[in-house]
């Protein structure tokens, strides 16, 4: 079995993204460096009830360059649009995969319908790095609908997995990625046990959004904790002590410098300064 490097507790502090998304950053490149490459961070907005309102909540136009955002909606509904003219609504089970590339402005709000009726919102946003050769690609957007994301029944009736990217048991996820990776939304029933085989040489990060679970028969992991594994060593096994929801992330590491300032992720400080200059000069386009 693949050895565990560590189990990392979630920070207690919640920070707000705009006025619509109270999140905790469950892991980040800043904290874990190359152990989580090609992933940069995961922000998780735990289930939160929002009362009906006539005023939409969310985060207004802001820039990105050099990476991708992957927004997974578990409950509620989010409206998105960006400076390429793309946008739409994402609801339960939908995923928004946005490649910022050379630069984009975008905004994310609770949808008008969700704002007016109120309800519970639960969202995770993963940041994925891009290798140097494609950091300046044209920005684009992949809307991944729940109906298009393969549902894989885990062996022995242990639960299900939704394959957003990569491949599991022959089912291929719809996301197009710049480097090899797997992004799986895994649900294991209370009392269920499931083993997963991941490519040797991939970094492997698993986030327990709901739990607890026992990993490889030894590590007890609670909701909100992140498990980071070694790159080699075979299968990983999860046993759910209660209904569990895991985000399983594996990827080929990008062996390049990572320089981040706010929502710009490049390979050098000079490139960061160029990004800031381009943004201020209006070269990221304008919102429709």
């Amino acid at each position: 079995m693949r050895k565990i490097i560590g189990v990392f507790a979630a920070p207690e502090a919640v920070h707000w993204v705009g006025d619509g998304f109270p999140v905790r950053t469950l892991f980040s490149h800043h904290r874990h460096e190359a152990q989580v490459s090609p992933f940069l961070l995961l922000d998780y907005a735990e289930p939160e009830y929002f009362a009906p309102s006539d005023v939409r909540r969310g985060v207004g136009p802001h820039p990105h360059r050099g990476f991708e955002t992957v927004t997974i909606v578990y409950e509620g509904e989010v409206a998105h649009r960006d400076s390429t003219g793309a946008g739409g609504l994402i609801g339960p089970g939908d995923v928004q995969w946005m490649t910022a590339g050379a630069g984009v402005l975008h905004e994310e709000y609770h949808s008008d319908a969700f704002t007016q009726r109120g309800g519970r919102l639960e969202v995770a946003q993963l940041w994925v790095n891009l290798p140097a050769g494609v950091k300046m690609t044209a920005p684009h957007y992949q809307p991944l609908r729940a109906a298009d994301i393969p549902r894989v029944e885990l062996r022995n009736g242990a639960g299900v997995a939704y394959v957003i990217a990569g491949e599991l048991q022959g089912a291929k996820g719809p996301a197009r990625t710049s480097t090899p990776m797997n992004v799986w939304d895994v649900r294991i029933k209370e009392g269920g046990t499931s083993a997963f085989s991941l490519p040797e040489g991939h970094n492997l990060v698993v986030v327990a959004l709901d739990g607890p679970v026992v990993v490889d028969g030894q590590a007890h992991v609670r909701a909100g904790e992140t498990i980071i594994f070694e790159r080699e060593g075979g299968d990983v096994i999860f046993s759910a002590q209660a209904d569990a929801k895991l985000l399983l992330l594996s990827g080929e590491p990008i062996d390049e410098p990572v320089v981040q300032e706010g929502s710009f992720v490049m390979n050098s400080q000079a490139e960061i300064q160029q990004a800031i200059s381009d943004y201020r000069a209006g070269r990221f386009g304008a919102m429709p």
Side-chain angles (χ1 to χ4, degrees), residues 180-194:
M181 69 183 66
N182 293 291
V183 178
W184 302 339
D185 171 10
V186 177
R187 319 293 177 91
I188 303 177
K189 299 175 184 176
E190 181 177 0
T193 295
S194 190

Side-chain angles (χ1 to χ4, degrees), residues 165-208:
E167 184 174 350
L168 175 62
Q169 296 178 26
K172 295 183 179 180
R176 302 183 304 275
T177 65
S178 295
T179 57
M181 69 183 66
N182 293 291
V183 178
W184 302 339
D185 171 10
V186 177
R187 319 293 177 91
I188 303 177
K189 299 175 184 176
E190 181 177 0
T193 295
S194 190
F196 297 91
S197 297
L198 287 310
E200 298 290 296
H202 272 208
N203 277 331
L204 175 58
V205 182
V206 179
V207 181

Side-chain angles (χ1 to χ4, degrees), residues 29 37 40 129 135 254 256-260 265-268:
H29 179 271
S37 177
L40 294 165
N129 199 11
K135 277 191 179 292
I254 299 174
E256 296 172 357
V258 176
V259 181
Q260 178 180 352
V265 182
M266 302 303 290
N267 298 113
S268 70

Side-chain angles (χ1 to χ4, degrees), residues 49-255:
Y49 176 77
F50 288 87
S53 175
D54 293 326
V55 179
R56 67 176 184 165
R57 307 176 182 96
V59 57
H62 56 283
H64 291 300
R65 172 179 278 185
F67 68 103
E68 301 177 299
T69 63
V70 181
T71 305
I72 304 167
V73 175
Y74 296 102
E75 291 188 86
E77 190 174 61
V78 176
H80 152 85
R81 65 175 187 155
D82 64 37
S83 54
T84 71
L89 301 177
I90 49 174
D94 295 337
V95 177
Q96 168 206 102
W97 196 298
M98 188 187 76
T99 302
V104 70
L105 302 178
H106 83 143
E107 65 179 26
E108 294 164 297
Y109 284 94
H110 301 182
S111 72
D112 289 343
F114 180 79
T115 298
Q116 291 166 12
R117 72 173 179 267
R120 277 170 39 117
L121 183 75
E122 181 185 3
V123 178
Q125 186 172 88
L126 175 70
W127 288 19
V128 179
N129 199 11
L130 290 171
V134 294
K135 277 191 179 292
M136 295 298 286
T137 192
H140 58 275
Y141 169 63
Q142 300 176 63
L144 310 177
R145 298 300 177 193
D148 299 323
I149 296 173
R151 173 190 168 108
V152 175
E153 299 289 335
L154 302 179
R155 294 182 175 89
N156 302 316
V160 299
Y162 300 91
V163 185
I164 298 167
E167 184 174 350
L168 175 62
Q169 296 178 26
K172 295 183 179 180
R176 302 183 304 275
T177 65
S178 295
T179 57
M181 69 183 66
N182 293 291
V183 178
W184 302 339
D185 171 10
V186 177
R187 319 293 177 91
I188 303 177
K189 299 175 184 176
E190 181 177 0
T193 295
S194 190
F196 297 91
S197 297
L198 287 310
E200 298 290 296
H202 272 208
N203 277 331
L204 175 58
V205 182
V206 179
V207 181
L209 301 181
D210 244 334
V213 295
V214 177
V215 185
D216 292 344
Q218 51 178 323
H220 292 256
V221 179
R222 298 173 296 176
E225 293 185 328
T226 297
I227 316 108
I228 298 178
F229 296 83
E230 292 188 350
R231 294 181 182 178
E232 311 284 347
D235 291 358
V236 292
I237 302 172
F238 299 96
S239 299
Q241 297 175 305
D243 287 351
K245 178 165 59 182
L246 311 175
L247 193 56
L248 191 151
L249 310 168
S250 83
E252 182 176 276
I254 299 174
D255 187 19

